[in-house]
Amino acid sequence: MSSENSNGSLETSFQDTIAVVEFGHPASNSFPRALLDQLTSEINFLSRDENVSVIILKSKGERTFCSGASFDELLQVQNEEQGTEFFSGFAHLINAMRNCNKLIIGRVQGRAVGGGVGIISACDYVLATPESAVKLSELAIGIGPFVIEPAVSRKIGKPAMAEMTLSAHEWKSAEWALQHKLYAEIHTRDQLDEAVENFAKRLSSYNPEALFHMKKIIWEGTEQWESILFERAAITGKLVLSDFSRNALLQFKK
């Protein structure tokens, strides 16, 4: 599947039983709602594909893996219902990734902010580069990483999650992310694709039924996310309407 328009691009290719899903957007690989929905649908589709054993999730370009929610769309939110609907896009995607029957390998070639960190956290195994710093900047724009918090906390723990959230203007290095288990491996940019491909091939050579059961075990105890992520989306959807958030978003866009 391949699509590309003003909402960004999404393309899936196949290497034997490995599906490679690549997303992109001209604004630093940010996510408008339409692109979030496309990626969610693709993950759900691949989950049901019996010919797929492993999914690689990657993004276009070199400098940025994902810069989170689209600021342009956030500024267009006019009421709580629209705000809840927008942030529910990340809730749907994270739930699709954790419920996916296939293990998802994240290929992170550059920086990630906000929702991008949530997507990384929802991957089952992540390989990154030394340039792949991370930041949760939500408090700086008057909201918080409420929707993605369960996924991030599950990976790095509550104390590290709190540290990232409260230091909203501070980038955490790739080495920090590796130490806190957000990343499993770090490779140079020249070596990243080979490392991802080799790991995916090894994983896809294992018994598919064993991989399926392992996926379910990895995500045990997250069933409440079916409701809690959408409750968090409502909180964020309300906060983004505040004067603080409006002014902060306009400043970030300058």
Side-chain angles (χ1 to χ4, degrees), residues 57 93-98 104 116-126 151-152 154-155 182 215 219 225:
L57 182 61
L93 176 58
I94 290 173
N95 275 326
M97 293 176 70
R98 72 176 184 84
I104 301 175
V117 179
I119 292 171
I120 291 170
S121 300
C123 292
D124 299 297
Y125 195 95
V126 179
V152 180
R154 173 183 166 275
K155 268 291 180 73
L182 185 64
K215 173 82 178 198
W219 288 94
W225 291 16

Side-chain angles (χ1 to χ4, degrees), residues 12-21 43 45-57 97 100-105 124 197-216 218:
T12 300
S13 58
F14 297 90
Q15 303 169 2
D16 295 323
T17 62
I18 301 168
V20 182
V21 181
I43 294 296
F45 175 79
L46 294 173
S47 177
R48 300 187 296 268
D49 191 335
E50 295 181 357
N51 296 315
V52 172
S53 59
V54 175
I55 298 170
I56 296 173
L57 182 61
M97 293 176 70
C100 183
N101 291 329
K102 314 300 163 63
L103 290 164
I104 301 175
I105 301 170
D124 299 297
E197 182 178 351
N198 288 341
F199 183 77
K201 284 182 177 179
R202 284 197 302 272
L203 205 58
S204 66
S205 70
Y206 301 152
N207 184 344
E209 188 174 357
L211 294 177
F212 168 81
H213 288 294
M214 195 66 241
K215 173 82 178 198
K216 300 307 176 186
I218 288 172

Side-chain angles (χ1 to χ4, degrees), residues 69-186:
S70 166
F71 279 13
D72 288 335
E73 285 199 2
L74 285 179
L75 286 167
Q76 293 172 15
V77 172
Q78 298 298 317
N79 53 56
E80 290 185 29
E81 183 179 358
Q82 291 178 358
T84 300
E85 176 64 19
F86 177 80
F87 287 104
S88 291
F90 281 99
H92 284 299
L93 176 58
I94 290 173
N95 275 326
M97 293 176 70
R98 72 176 184 84
N99 286 324
C100 183
N101 291 329
K102 314 300 163 63
L103 290 164
I104 301 175
I105 301 170
R107 172 200 178 270
V108 180
Q109 82 285 15
R111 290 182 165 190
V113 185
V117 179
I119 292 171
I120 291 170
S121 300
C123 292
D124 299 297
Y125 195 95
V126 179
L127 297 87
T129 68
E131 293 80 22
S132 303
V134 291
K135 180 168 67 171
L136 294 180
S137 59
E138 283 86 346
L139 284 181
I141 58 172
I143 57 176
F146 303 118
V147 175
I148 66 171
E149 180 277 325
V152 180
S153 290
R154 173 183 166 275
K155 268 291 180 73
I156 69 177
K158 286 279 188 181
M161 169 68 190
E163 180 182 336
M164 283 191 75
T165 302
L166 299 181
S167 56
H169 289 86
E170 178 184 339
W171 286 98
K172 297 296 185 182
S173 69
E175 186 60 36
W176 185 94
L178 178 68
Q179 292 173 355
H180 289 84
K181 309 303 181 184
L182 185 64
Y183 300 150
E185 301 177 22
I186 290 180

